[in-house]
Amino acid sequence: MDDLPEIVTPPPGPKGQEIIDKDSRFIATTTKTSPVAVYKAKGALVWGVDGNRYLDFTSGIGVTNTGHCHPKVVKAVQDQAAELMHFAGTDFYYAIQANLAQRLTEIAPGKGAKKVFYTNSGAESVEAAIKLSRWSSQRKRFLAFVGAFHGRTIGALSLTASKVVQRERFVPTMPGASHVPFAYCYRCPYKMEYPSCDIWCAKIIEEVYFQQLVPPAEVAALFMEPVQGEGGYIVPPSDWVSEIRAICDRHGILMVDDEVQAGFGRTGTWFGIEHHGVEADIYCMAKGMGSGLPIGCIVFREDLDWRVQGAHSNTYGGNLVASAAAMATIEAIEEEDMVGNSARMGAHLHKRLLELQEEHDEIGDVRGLGLMQATEFVKDRRTKERAIDLRDKVTVEAYKRGLIMLPCGKNSMRYIPPLVIKEHQVDAAVEIIDESLKAAKK
Ligand SMILES: Cc1ncc(COP(=O)(O)O)c(C=O)c1O
């Protein structure tokens, strides 16, 4: 079938290698995962420069939720680019920015009045949330979770605690950020079991941290991902999330929900936090918002607004072409019920991964919501010793077979195809993972 992978030249291939060599020569070191050089994409398929067709289970790190080059988004971008690309919406006015902001306040959870500030990336959304919460509360401290990923700029990095390599040599970061353990039940930091633990990892915030380390009246905001992303696709229990909300309420702390990775239909609802039945005060968005155009935003309770000209602003926020892409993204998600497809295909993928777990003892855990799924690889299911090498080998074996994957956490693999993925493509991906695991174990 022409909507499944096909490998004609083992990657990277000669043309791919040329690009890789030049990239290594001229581009700074980042986070490269696989030697796959590509030039075009459509839906869930990506074409390599040496003739290979890949199935994309990364969506450009959770960005192309509507599928690569969705025709509606492409047309909106082309039309807008031909009319007006940029005029600085922070200083002047364009209809599309205001219209998009209205739509964003409608789809963001919560019925109360909200406002939007546009950014250009996830990290910039987090920076805006840091500044808005400090400004409106006149408090200076922050709480975040161990395992969290909120971005790499210095403010956002102060809240990130996913991998030591992301922080090493970058201290001092922003002062005033403290981390508490996340509800990672598969590897409970307190070696307890849910639910008999009585969600101690939430209660410890008031019982220990607020008594001995963090004066709660100085905390401006708590940052939380509804599903921890880069940290390993960890889904917290919903009663834990409600307790976190209650703690914020008891101490006048703003709750910031970082939907940069879990938003825009990824988890089978518009936003990840909807699974937990909780509303936040500030939502951080980016990635899936623009289907590939760089745009992000915060959507926040209207009463938190700076209300002072110049307190916060930027140049490109809500750039016209990116705003057109975001508007078309929201419309495409609605018109094609991509949120529903994410829930349906996510359930199917989850079931298929559980079946795979029965075949392979090395799959210690299968977890996720909608099309935000992960498998955690272990050497031994009882000791849960992490099988990092195996996960890395599976990633290699998978791209050799035409499936592009990304790791997450220390020893997990994420499955985040575009939300337009079809059932037989999910099945093909799971079969490739099965073969890749068998090859990697040899
Ligand atoms: C939850 C979350 N927040 C923030 C960010 C940072 O986004 P960006 O890379 O666009 O700065 C990421 C990126 O992976 C993320 O997953």
Side-chain angles (χ1 to χ4, degrees):
M1 273 211 256
D2 60 5
D3 64 356
L4 291 177
E6 188 182 39
I7 295 295
V8 292
T9 317
K15 287 188 192 156
Q17 192 59 54
E18 240 177 78
I19 296 172
I20 291 167
D21 292 343
K22 197 175 231 180
D23 180 301
S24 313
R25 166 70 185 82
F26 291 109
I27 300 183
T29 307
T30 52
T31 47
K32 299 277 199 228
T33 307
S34 305
V36 173
V38 305
Y39 74 102
K40 72 167 184 178
K42 186 94 201 132
L45 296 168
V46 180
W47 281 262
V49 290
D50 286 283
N52 297 325
R53 187 169 63 222
Y54 298 94
L55 194 51
D56 177 18
F57 262 55
T58 72
S59 299
I61 329 185
V63 169
T64 55
N65 288 8
T66 55
H68 290 283
C69 299
H70 189 286
K72 189 172 183 112
V73 179
V74 171
K75 172 132 193 358
V77 167
Q78 285 170 337
D79 289 353
Q80 188 58 53
E83 196 161 272
L84 179 61
M85 284 198 226
H86 178 75
F87 200 63
T90 41
D91 286 41
F92 304 102
Y93 297 88
Y94 345 112
I96 190 161
Q97 261 197 350
N99 293 339
L100 175 63
Q102 183 181 2
R103 288 298 291 122
L104 289 163
T105 63
E106 287 161 4
I107 60 172
K111 294 216 171 4
K114 304 181 205 95
K115 278 189 154 186
V116 172
F117 174 79
Y118 289 116
T119 68
N120 304 280
S121 68
E124 197 195 338
S125 299
V126 169
E127 295 291 339
I130 290 172
K131 289 182 73 178
L132 183 68
S133 47
R134 269 196 177 163
W135 175 269
S136 58
S137 69
Q138 297 192 49
R139 298 177 177 192
K140 295 195 169 32
R141 291 179 187 266
F142 295 96
L143 277 183
F145 293 98
V146 174
F149 189 87
H150 296 293
R152 296 170 183 273
T153 51
I154 289 293
L157 182 63
S158 325
L159 305 170
T160 288
S162 160
K163 294 190 180 82
V164 163
V165 67
Q166 295 154 355
R167 297 169 68 91
E168 211 168 26
R169 301 198 195 186
F170 293 126
V171 284
T173 49
M174 172 184 73
S178 301
H179 290 85
V180 294
F182 194 70
Y184 186 3
C185 298
Y186 181 66
R187 291 181 190 275
C188 173
Y190 303 103
K191 310 278 182 222
M192 290 179 171
E193 294 253 326
Y194 178 80
S196 60
C197 61
D198 197 24
I199 49 171
W200 171 240
C201 58
K203 295 188 174 161
I204 195 173
I205 295 174
E206 280 181 317
E207 292 190 27
V208 177
Y209 287 84
F210 285 178
Q211 306 297 326
Q212 296 180 292
L213 185 69
V214 182
E218 291 184 5
V219 179
L222 172 145
F223 281 71
M224 189 201 76
E225 293 160 272
V227 175
Q228 244 182 20
E230 218 276 329
Y233 279 36
I234 301 160
V235 187
S238 291
D239 55 347
W240 178 86
V241 180
S242 325
E243 183 57 24
I244 295 294
R245 174 77 257 189
I247 292 169
C248 288
D249 289 342
R250 282 196 285 276
H251 299 278
I253 296 170
L254 295 168
M255 186 180 194
V256 181
D257 172 29
D258 184 345
E259 294 278 352
V260 168
Q261 190 153 170
F264 288 87
R266 173 55 54 199
T267 66
T269 49
W270 264 105
F271 293 97
I273 201 166
E274 292 168 53
H275 289 278
H276 304 304
V278 163
E279 288 170 17
D281 303 296
I282 303 173
Y283 300 97
C284 297
M285 304 180 189
K287 287 191 185 279
M289 183 172 166
S291 291
L293 271 278
I295 184 166
C297 71
I298 51 171
V299 180
F300 54 93
R301 261 177 34 208
E302 188 205 28
D303 59 294
L304 304 177
D305 189 8
W306 288 282
R307 291 184 206 284
V308 172
Q309 288 276 348
H312 193 53
S313 189
N314 58 14
T315 299
Y316 289 118
N319 163 272
L320 278 168
V321 181
S323 288
M327 194 63 141
T329 296
I330 294 173
E331 284 168 9
I333 291 176
E334 275 174 347
E335 285 162 13
E336 294 174 35
D337 185 26
M338 290 185 204
V339 177
N341 198 54
S342 173
R344 286 187 295 276
M345 286 304 109
H348 180 68
L349 172 61
H350 191 80
K351 178 174 107 348
R352 293 293 322 264
L353 292 174
L354 286 173
E355 286 164 13
L356 205 60
Q357 190 183 27
E358 284 176 24
E359 305 286 310
H360 298 277
D361 286 346
E362 295 79 5
I363 300 182
D365 197 23
V366 175
R367 54 182 178 246
L369 296 171
L371 283 171
M372 188 170 183
Q373 298 285 329
T375 47
E376 179 161 345
F377 294 100
V378 291
K379 292 186 181 164
D380 178 316
R381 280 205 190 163
R382 197 184 51 80
T383 63
K384 299 184 183 173
E385 190 186 342
R386 297 174 195 269
I388 301 168
D389 284 356
L390 181 70
R391 188 271 317 274
D392 292 345
K393 279 186 193 154
V394 173
T395 310
V396 173
E397 294 296 336
Y399 77 67
K400 282 192 197 160
R401 289 166 173 77
L403 176 67
I404 307 180
M405 301 295 295
L406 272 177
C408 62
K410 266 194 174 154
N411 53 317
S412 299
M413 173 102 90
R414 55 184 122 180
Y415 302 70
I416 43 169
L419 310 185
V420 293
I421 195 87
K422 300 187 176 92
E423 189 170 317
H424 71 276
Q425 292 174 316
V426 169
D427 290 336
V430 174
E431 275 149 36
I432 292 177
I433 294 293
D434 185 18
E435 288 167 22
S436 301
L437 254 166
K438 284 178 186 149
K441 284 196 273 184
K442 272 195 192 138

